Structures are given as C-alpha cells and as structure tokens.
Amino acid sequence: EAYAWVEPDEKLRMSDHFSSLLFGGSISDTILELVTLIAPLVAMFFFGDALNVKNSMPFSELAFYFIVCSVVRRVYNAYLEAVYFSFPSKRTQPPKEHLLKQEKDLCGRDIEQLNLLHFHDKMTMLSQFALNFALYFYLPGYYPADEEQPLSFQERFGKLVLNHYVMSFGMYWAHRSLHDIQFL
C-alpha cells in the first residue's frame, strides 16, 4: 500500500528513511520510471549512433543524464523525508496527525484525491518522457553538445547566475499565479 495512516511511533534515525529509495512508496510508479529509463538504453542498443542529433549531446549521454537525474531526485526526496521526521521541531507547518486517523494524508487529501494524484503522477512521468525526447529530436541543441571552445570562467559563471535568476523569477511568478488565479 502506498499510503501510511500513522506517523512512526519510535524515533527513527536519518538512515532509516533511505530504505524506500528503490520503490519510493509505489511499485507501479517505480516500474513505470524504470521502463522510461531503460527504453532509451534499449533504443541505443538497437539503433546506436543513428539516434544522435547534430548540435546536441549524444543520445547515450542523454539517456545516462536522465538516469542520474532520477537517482538524484530519489536521494533528495528520501533526504527530505528523513529531515521531516527527524526534526519535528523545525517544521514550518505543524503535522496534522489527526488527519491520518481519518484516512487522509498530512496535507488533508482523502484516498480518492490521493488516487487521482497517483494517476496524475503517472501521466506526468509519461508526458515528461515524451517531451524530453521530442525536445531532443525536434529542437537540436536543446541538450547542447560539448563546445569545441570552452567558455571562460566568467562567461560560465554569468550564464549560471542568469539561468538561476530567470528560473527563480519564472518559478516565483508561476507559483504565485497558480495560487491567485482560480482557473489555474
């Protein structure tokens, strides 16, 4: 079962929370993620360099990039869970344990909403998979190849700061819009 209706009674160590790295609470989501990570490797095995797009990183690098992203995401989520349960006094929002007893999660979502969220997770994973590879094949350079002339430190640092600023600005306004505009 993907949902727990009680918080752990005993004090868990930080390392105890990393046991869910492989399945992350949902075996079906994990299997779907594995399929989306293995599919490019299988395609690479059968088609090799024919999948490479000019001005983009090789297809093999892209496949391994997505595997590394998945590993980082799983470790980070396990870390956040460990921090949440290991430091209850540092939480910015109080836990709503009474909701767990009513078969709701800590955010107050009931089982029907959680199942819908679970379905949305699967659809998001599939649409992200399709989008990432559509960008690779139809927008050459989106995943850039190594440059023959590496940029100077100042140029790379400037790009990093600009990218961070643009992403932070965009995410702030998108988040605010999602809260303020009812249609979204």
Side-chain angles (χ1 to χ4, degrees):
E1 184 173 299
Y3 308 111
W5 303 115
V6 293
E7 282 197 33
D9 289 333
E10 70 277 357
K11 176 90 170 128
L12 299 175
R13 296 175 315 213
M14 286 277 283
S15 60
D16 293 335
H17 295 277
F18 290 88
S19 63
S20 65
L21 280 177
L22 181 59
F23 292 113
S26 170
I27 293 175
S28 62
D29 280 353
T30 302
I31 290 170
L32 181 60
E33 183 178 8
L34 285 174
V35 167
T36 62
L37 292 173
I38 291 172
L41 298 175
V42 170
M44 200 173 57
F45 177 77
F46 285 109
F47 300 106
D49 290 339
L51 294 171
N52 293 343
V53 174
K54 188 178 179 188
N55 297 327
S56 293
M57 67 173 58
F59 190 80
S60 58
E61 287 182 20
L62 184 69
F64 287 111
Y65 169 73
F66 290 128
I67 291 171
V68 168
C69 287
S70 176
V71 169
V72 168
R73 192 170 36 251
R74 284 185 172 271
V75 170
Y76 183 63
N77 285 342
Y79 166 76
L80 291 176
E81 178 185 303
V83 168
Y84 178 83
F85 286 109
S86 298
F87 303 103
S89 64
K90 306 286 186 203
R91 296 177 187 165
T92 56
Q93 296 177 333
K96 300 175 183 172
E97 293 180 52
H98 63 285
L99 293 175
L100 294 173
K101 292 174 180 57
Q102 299 170 16
E103 291 198 350
K104 293 184 176 187
D105 74 347
L106 293 173
C107 296
R109 295 176 289 224
D110 62 25
I111 193 71
E112 185 178 327
Q113 292 168 321
L114 290 169
N115 287 335
L116 183 62
L117 187 63
H118 204 216
F119 173 75
H120 281 265
D121 287 347
K122 285 179 176 52
M123 294 302 106
T124 299
M125 196 180 312
L126 291 173
S127 64
Q128 284 295 110
F129 175 79
L131 175 66
N132 284 323
F133 287 99
L135 288 171
Y136 179 75
F137 288 113
Y138 298 112
L139 193 59
Y142 184 81
Y143 296 102
D146 284 337
E147 296 179 9
E148 292 179 21
Q149 287 278 329
L151 299 174
S152 69
F153 173 77
Q154 293 85 356
E155 289 173 305
R156 287 182 289 155
F157 184 75
K159 279 186 164 184
L160 176 70
V161 169
L162 181 63
N163 183 349
H164 182 72
Y165 176 76
V166 168
M167 291 298 290
S168 297
F169 182 82
M171 290 177 74
Y172 167 78
W173 284 105
H175 184 89
R176 184 169 177 179
S177 296
L178 291 171
H179 281 285
D180 292 342
I181 301 172
Q182 253 186 345
F183 174 73
L184 298 176

